[in-house]
Structure formats: structure tokens, C-alpha cells
Amino acid sequence: MLKHAVIPFLMGASLLVGSPPAQAATSLVYCSEGSPAGFDPGQYTTGTDFDASAETIYNRLSQFQRGGTSVEPGLATHWDVSPDNLTWTFHLREGVKFHTTPYFTPTRNFNADDVLFTFNRMLDKDMPFRKAYPTEFPYFIGMGMDKNIKSIEKIDDNTVTFTLNKVDAAFIQNLAMSFASIQSAEYADKLLKAGTPTDINQKPIGTGPFIFKSYQKDSNIRYTGNKDYWKPEDVKIKNLIFAITTDPSVRVQKLKKNECQITLFPRPADLKSLQDDPNLKMPHEAGFNLGYIAYNVMDKIKGHSEPNPMAQLKVRQALDMSVNKQQIIDAVYQGAGQLAVGSMPPTQWSYDTTIKDTPYDLAKAKALLKEAGIKEGTEITLWAMPVQRPYNPNAKLMAEMLQSDWSKIGIKTKIATFEWGEYIKRSKSGENGAMLIGWSGDNGDPDNWLDTLFGCDALRSNNFSKWCDPEFDKLVKAARATTDISERTKLYQQAQQLLKNQVPMTPIANSTVYQPMRKNVEGFKISPFGLNSFYGVSLSK
């Protein structure tokens, strides 16, 4: 039914040029790149999931300014911090309404109970709702927040206090991230009583600028503008559709035909034709991102009985120094990427500029493999992403180039891929071999790179290398536990040096982010975090 319902809308979108101005100003189609796994942001870690949920349906206590990294008030109007930086008191915004939908009608406004439900669900595995719908919260756990939040207390309906075990210099930035989206405790209670708690992930309720209407996997997601939004000037679109279009060339065609008004992740080969189209504009920015190869360092890869060659440092060093990065930059990024050296982009404060990349050296790589006892023809598996991301516009081509590079040192590479949700799920469980992945910063803090991607707490979430080094972990946790920027910088730079030497990953590129859209789109901001938000966006007449 949904499939048939959406067809006339898309047809109408393709005729927007000749449609009445009122229609053009009220409906927007966004050609997205993949299907979200669900709509409960706490469960997920990818931009595909967050765009479809956190950025549309929900709000957080604090939030990032559109297009920037500065934190501003969200569902909390302001907050106080104790002198020891361990107690955070949030004063909540009054009069904020949860969405009314065919499946839920709220009887009260947002209050402290919703904050307690949201975070206690992530903290307490014995909470009734968590027991009825057992799920993991990879970001929350991967950042160590489950261990550091000592308690959350409701002072009154509009005041909540978080008490921490240790100082967390990035705490307020972390609460602005997508995974910390506030859920409705009243809706959760209704679902629990009805015996349908999983609906929190399929029939979402939030306070955000758009209300969820329907979802058809691999086809579309439909939303309607929230007329009761607490910041009404931000809702300028009556209908918002995500037209899920995995093929980047098809996204370009749809954009040029005005079948969608905004899209993302164009192939480098399409940039010129997009720039030359008089009906389009293409803002771009240096990406706050990193595309890299993650090496699974486990002794045995999950599901395999034979020893894992990449568990040996010398093997990882050999793979690393046999990657012809410049050829990849030229072929895959085609001028829209810069060669990466470190584990963070150079625009991140505390980036260590003294780190130098390992020289390309096939002879030395072969010698290292021999020292490690690796025979010529040994096979490894390389996972390639099925979608385009800001940090990697063509994972398939990159994988094929790496396959060729590694064949020159006697390594046979089998390329594998899966549907995006399955790709992430399997890799988090440790089934991956070497893996193409990447990251767009989430909050502007170095902790979001080093601890989130390579810390021991992140082994079940974003640490795709499954690399846990006690010395590295000690450094990044010490850095997070002080508010002294110079001390944090020193600790983070030591951590970067250690990570570079242990080679759990090979950095490939920091890419330029291009955001193609129709010329009549107004108010859209490129996010440094690789997210796509439509509040404040409109279509001119």
C-alpha cells in the first residue's frame, strides 16, 4: 500500500518546476543512500540510521549548531556544572510536545521522566523495558558512559541531575550526539503494557521537527512537518521523503530531473556534470572525516578455525606499507580527497603533525611476511562497504586496488560485502577480516576518534579492529578525565604515536564533502559530522 501511495508524490516532485509555488514550498524529497536498520538511535552508530531518526524525529538535551561543532541548548535550556565537574544539572525546556500519531497520543508534555527513561534504559539491563526488549547500545557503551554515569536523579519535573564517577571533558558534546536522543517514557510504558516493546524501533515517537509516517525498506521513508514543534521557525517543510537510492548514478539522475531536491555522496566522476548544471548548486567543505582499513587483530576471526595472519604486527606492517595510497587517492577520490597519515583528520585539535606515514616498500613488506612465517599465497578476506560514505566514495574500486596491491607481496585477497546494516552488525561481532570503513567526527573532540574507534570499551561497537592496548587505553582515558587542553593534547599525541606504531589500521584519505542540491533549496547546512538535517530547510518559489 505504501509503495503505491508514494508514487504520485514522487511524480509530483519531478514536476515541481511547473507546479504551483505553494506545492514547491511544502514538499521536499531527499535521495538517501541506504535503508536504516531502525529508528531507535541508541541502538545504532551509522549516519544512515541517524539521518532517518535522530536528525528528523528526535531531540537531545544539548545539540550542535547546524553546520558547526558548537553546542547549544536543546531540550535543556541551560545546565550547571559543579566545581569538581562531576555533577551536571539540566534545566529542561517546558511545553515541549511529543508527536501525536495514529499509534500514540501523548497525555503530557516532555519532562524529567523521559530523560530518566532514556538513559536508565541504556544503563540498567534489569530495567523492565530493557528486559522486555533486550538490545545493546554500542555508542553509549563504547564511549564508557555506562561505567561513568554514577546516577541520574529527578529533582522535579523540569530538573535532572547527572552524577559522574570521573570527569568527562566531552560530556556535554556527547549528550548532543545522535545516540542520546530523548525517548518518551509514556510511549514506552504503553508499549510495555501492550507487549510490543520492539515498536520503539519501528514506530518511533519523539519531539523533533518531523513526525514519522511510514517506511518501506529499500524504497522510502515518509515524514510530515511537526506543527507543534517547540521551535516553529525551524519547520518549513510540510512533507519530507527519503527516497532510498543506493546507486549514486541514479541519485544524480533523479536530482537532475528534480525527482529529488537534495542528495549526497556523488561519485567524483559526476562532480563536473553536477557543477555545470544550471539548475543545481553544490556547496562543499573539507571533510571532518577519515577513510581507513581496519585490520581484525583477533587470534582467530569469528567463524574461522585457522589462525588469523593479521593478529601479527609484522603482517599488519607489511599490508600497510604495500598500499599504494596515491594511486587510490587519484582513482577513487579523483581530486576530492587528501592522503591521510594519522588516525584523525588534521583539522581535529591535538592532531600530531610529527607523525609521518610509512613509506611504500614492497621489498620490506615481503621480508616482514617471511619473518612472520606467512607463506606466499596466504589468503585474507577484505570487506568492502556496499554504500558510499563521505570518507569513501567507491569502496568496491578501493577494494579491487588493494587486492592488486597485496598480490604484489604474495597475499591473496578475497573481497566480500553485505547489505549495509548486516555489514556493520557482522563486523561489530568480529566476523570481518581486513575491512574498509571510516568515520566522520561526531562531536569535535579527539576522544570521539581515539577512544570511540580504538579504545577497549569500543570492542563491541566501533572498534572494528578489535584492538585493545592497555597503554593506549590508559592514555585516552586520562585525557578525557581532565579539562586542561594542553594536558589533553599531550596525552592524545602520545596515543596517536602508539596507535601508528601498532598498526591496527591503515589511514587512506580525508575527503572533501560535496552536497548536491537544487538551486531553490534554502537553509541547508553541511554538517561536519556527516549528518543530514532538514530543520530550517525550505524550497523557494
Side-chain angles (χ1 to χ4, degrees):
M1 183 174 179
L2 173 62
K3 185 175 181 180
H4 297 298
V6 79
I7 289 174
F9 183 91
L10 289 174
M11 287 174 63
S14 68
L15 298 173
L16 282 177
V17 173
S19 299
Q23 175 66 23
T26 58
S27 299
L28 184 145
V29 182
Y30 165 60
C31 281
S32 64
E33 86 289 11
S35 295
F39 297 88
D40 177 9
Q43 294 190 40
Y44 303 111
T45 62
T46 78
T48 303
D49 298 304
F50 293 152
D51 283 352
S53 58
E55 296 303 303
T56 48
I57 300 165
Y58 296 99
N59 293 120
R60 290 147 292 285
L61 293 176
S62 58
Q63 62 188 30
F64 295 107
Q65 291 179 354
R66 285 198 309 133
T69 60
S70 299
V71 174
E72 63 183 14
L75 290 179
T77 58
H78 61 289
W79 44 85
D80 308 312
V81 188
S82 63
D84 62 4
N85 289 295
L86 292 176
T87 303
W88 294 70
T89 302
F90 291 88
H91 304 275
L92 306 182
R93 192 175 299 277
E94 298 183 37
V96 176
K97 298 181 184 298
F98 278 100
H99 299 159
T100 296
T101 69
Y103 50 87
F104 178 68
T105 301
T107 64
R108 63 164 177 80
N109 291 339
F110 157 74
N111 67 27
D113 292 334
D114 305 304
V115 179
L116 264 63
F117 168 77
T118 297
F119 288 95
N120 283 331
R121 178 185 168 214
M122 293 190 277
L123 280 169
D124 185 5
K125 291 185 177 181
D126 292 324
M127 182 183 183
F129 193 92
R130 176 83 173 267
K131 291 179 76 173
Y133 180 29
T135 186
E136 293 298 319
F137 299 96
Y139 242 131
F140 187 74
I141 293 169
M143 297 174 74
M145 295 183 77
D146 59 325
K147 297 175 182 176
N148 199 34
I149 296 177
K150 182 178 181 181
S151 63
I152 308 171
E153 183 182 0
K154 175 183 175 179
I155 307 302
D156 56 43
D157 276 353
N158 300 306
T159 314
V160 174
T161 295
F162 286 71
T163 302
L164 308 182
N165 288 312
K166 296 180 181 178
V167 173
D168 183 349
F171 186 65
I172 198 64
Q173 289 99 321
N174 293 344
L175 291 187
M177 290 165 58
S178 300
F179 77 92
S181 296
I182 301 299
Q183 298 275 4
S184 164
E186 183 184 17
Y187 179 50
D189 186 55
K190 176 189 173 184
L191 295 179
L192 190 60
K193 289 176 180 176
T196 58
T198 58
D199 279 358
I200 201 169
N201 193 33
Q202 302 301 325
K203 297 179 178 179
I205 293 291
T207 59
F210 296 97
I211 300 171
F212 175 81
K213 290 184 69 177
S214 59
Y215 170 46
Q216 183 176 8
K217 188 175 181 180
D218 300 328
S219 177
N220 61 78
I221 315 170
R222 300 190 71 172
Y223 310 86
T224 187
N226 181 7
K227 294 182 289 185
D228 297 318
Y229 191 49
W230 54 271
K231 200 174 180 183
E233 66 273 17
D234 276 353
V235 182
K236 301 179 179 182
I237 303 168
K238 183 177 180 181
N239 299 301
L240 173 65
I241 270 197
F242 280 32
I244 300 165
T245 313
T246 57
D247 188 325
S249 63
V250 176
R251 291 199 297 270
V252 167
Q253 293 168 15
K254 286 185 175 183
L255 183 70
K256 289 185 173 184
K257 293 177 182 178
N258 203 18
E259 291 177 5
C260 58
Q261 288 74 55
I262 303 178
T263 189
L264 77 175
F265 309 152
R267 297 179 304 177
D270 291 326
L271 292 178
K272 188 176 188 307
S273 70
L274 288 165
Q275 290 166 334
D276 291 344
D277 191 316
N279 297 309
L280 305 179
K281 58 184 176 181
M282 194 156 58
H284 60 278
E285 292 182 0
F288 191 53
N289 60 44
L290 172 68
Y292 63 94
I293 310 165
Y295 301 114
N296 188 332
V297 305
M298 296 169 66
D299 289 336
K300 290 184 179 179
I301 294 172
K302 186 175 179 180
H304 297 262
S305 58
E306 67 275 9
N308 173 21
M310 291 176 292
Q312 297 190 62
L313 174 59
K314 289 181 178 179
V315 174
R316 301 195 300 273
Q317 290 173 325
L319 294 172
D320 178 69
M321 67 179 61
S322 57
V323 174
N324 193 326
K325 287 189 184 181
Q326 193 56 56
Q327 281 191 0
I328 290 176
I329 297 292
D330 294 342
V332 175
Y333 294 87
Q334 297 181 33
Q338 300 79 45
L339 191 146
V341 172
S343 46
M344 306 189 294
T347 49
Q348 173 66 68
W349 65 266
S350 82
Y351 178 84
D352 190 344
T353 57
T354 68
I355 291 179
K356 304 302 179 187
D357 213 11
T358 307
Y360 179 69
D361 193 332
L362 295 181
K364 186 175 180 180
K366 288 178 181 179
L368 284 168
L369 291 177
K370 187 175 181 180
E371 290 173 23
I374 301 299
K375 296 178 180 179
E376 187 167 346
T378 294
E379 183 177 277
I380 64 171
T381 301
L382 172 64
W383 286 22
M385 301 181 306
V387 298
Q388 291 73 40
R389 301 300 299 157
Y391 46 75
N392 191 333
N394 193 337
K396 181 177 182 291
L397 176 58
M398 187 184 292
E400 290 168 350
M401 296 183 74
L402 290 169
Q403 185 181 52
S404 175
D405 285 344
W406 290 338
S407 71
K408 294 170 185 173
I409 58 170
I411 294 293
K412 184 179 179 182
T413 305
K414 178 184 176 183
I415 298 173
T417 193
F418 306 91
E419 181 271 330
W420 182 229
E422 194 72 9
Y423 188 87
I424 295 297
K425 180 182 177 181
R426 290 191 180 199
S427 56
K428 285 179 179 177
S429 71
E431 296 177 36
N432 58 294
M435 175 185 179
L436 293 181
I437 194 65
W439 195 251
S440 293
D442 284 314
N443 63 17
D445 195 273
D447 180 75
N448 183 243
W449 295 91
L450 299 178
D451 197 19
T452 298
L453 298 182
F454 305 105
C456 295
D457 287 337
L459 286 172
R460 288 187 294 161
S461 55
N462 298 309
N463 187 340
F464 298 111
S465 300
K466 305 304 176 189
W467 178 75
C468 174
D469 184 287
E471 185 181 349
F472 175 88
D473 221 49
K474 184 178 178 181
L475 288 167
V476 294
K477 283 181 170 48
R480 190 170 63 196
T482 177
T483 56
D484 185 319
I485 294 296
S486 62
E487 178 64 15
R488 294 188 78 201
T489 296
K490 183 175 75 173
L491 291 165
Y492 283 133
Q493 290 183 343
Q494 290 176 39
Q496 289 171 71
Q497 292 279 356
L498 194 155
L499 190 147
K500 187 70 175 178
N501 292 335
Q502 289 299 308
V503 203
M505 53 86 78
T506 292
I508 299 292
N510 310 116
S511 73
T512 302
V513 175
Y514 290 87
Q515 194 87 41
M517 62 187 74
R518 304 291 298 184
K519 275 194 171 176
N520 64 330
V521 174
E522 296 183 348
F524 188 92
K525 303 282 187 182
I526 296 177
S527 164
F529 308 131
L531 299 173
N532 292 278
S533 306
F534 298 94
Y535 59 96
V537 177
S538 63
L539 294 173
S540 67
K541 297 179 182 181

